Amino acid sequence: MERISILELVEQIPDEASAYRFMEKLRWPDKPVCPHCGSINDHRFLNPENGTSRRTRTGSHSQRRVWKCRDCQSQFSVITGTPFHGSKVPLRTWVFVLFEMCANKNGIAAREIQRKYGVTAKTAWFMTHRVREAMKVGVAPKFSGTVVVADETWIGGEPKNMHANKRPTRGKGFSDQTPVLSLVSMDLGKNEVRSQVVPNVKGSTLRAAITEQTDLPNTTLFTDSAMAYRELTPKVARHVMVNHKAGQYVKRGAGTNAAENYFSQLKRSIDGTFHHVSVEHLPRYLAEFDFRYSTHQLTDTQRMQRLMGQTAGRRISYKRIAEQP
Ligand SMILES: [Zn+2]
């Protein structure tokens, strides 16, 4: 899909019917797929051929574009099985919020969505979190055959404690901060990052998390020289340890710089845009930043397309997909 600006998007989507059409292009580039049974039969379009609106059972008019599955006979629309399903917010507003969250490097605060789109604070908050939920990658294969940069950082606490150098904020007295482990897989323009909240930064915890996500014998691992990581040296193809304090990130190549850039972006955004993120919701914010970082080579609309694909895939079981010809 082509590159697009928010203004063009507003022009392209003047009403609900066009919002549905826009989402359909993203989710079903070829033809509608039944989200209930996975069928790609020629489903029956229930809206009148030439009109955009459809009379509902209660007698009101709806611009929701609806199909009836030829196989399982269920009705569905493009948002069935997505985080936008069952929401009272117009799909048009969802598309704009989705676009802003995909396009803005720092994300967008719920407060800004409230102001821009005239929804309540509570609605704005739920919208952003539903989109974040959709941005979660889910089950993915281990990183393999790449350079993986592993680093941990602390999120939260007083802003004045959140300078780039994480060392001084460690230890007792900073229990309001949450440790986060990020793994950046460096793969020629296909960099991917996976971040997770970890219960602590003990060596055993960090090593278990890295081992779970990484095919160690086929990985060149970049870490700092913390003891926690040293036990991984015999298990990986190559282990490069850099000394943060000595400023060796610059010296040891672009690889680790990318990871550092990711962390500073994450922290800047959480400080600047969100001010305070509770531990409970942190995994969703991490999913949002990971998603944008891992799709940085895509255009904003391609990124939306990826997101729609992800949400759709999650609701249909693998078995159902596999049964299709
Ligand atoms: Zn069906």
Side-chain angles (χ1 to χ4, degrees), residues 45 64-65 77 80 86 89 91 111 133 152 228 272 278 321:
F45 187 47
R64 199 163 77 94
R65 290 161 53 85
S77 82
T80 302
V89 178
L91 186 63
R111 208 173 344 93
E133 195 60 40
E152 78 293 353
S278 68
I321 295 168

Side-chain angles (χ1 to χ4, degrees), residues 34 37 69 72:
C34 171
C37 72
C69 177
C72 74

Side-chain angles (χ1 to χ4, degrees), residues 175-218:
S175 55
D176 56 336
Q177 292 198 311
T178 307
V180 166
L181 174 74
S182 292
L183 303 175
V184 186
S185 164
M186 316 288 301
D187 192 12
L188 288 173
K190 286 188 293 173
N191 291 0
E192 187 185 339
V193 62
R194 293 179 197 164
S195 305
Q196 58 182 292
V197 172
V198 283
N200 54 60
V201 291
K202 284 181 193 161
S204 55
T205 306
L206 297 179
R207 287 192 300 272
I210 294 171
T211 305
E212 198 177 297
Q213 297 281 346
T214 313
D215 174 18
L216 296 176
N218 288 308

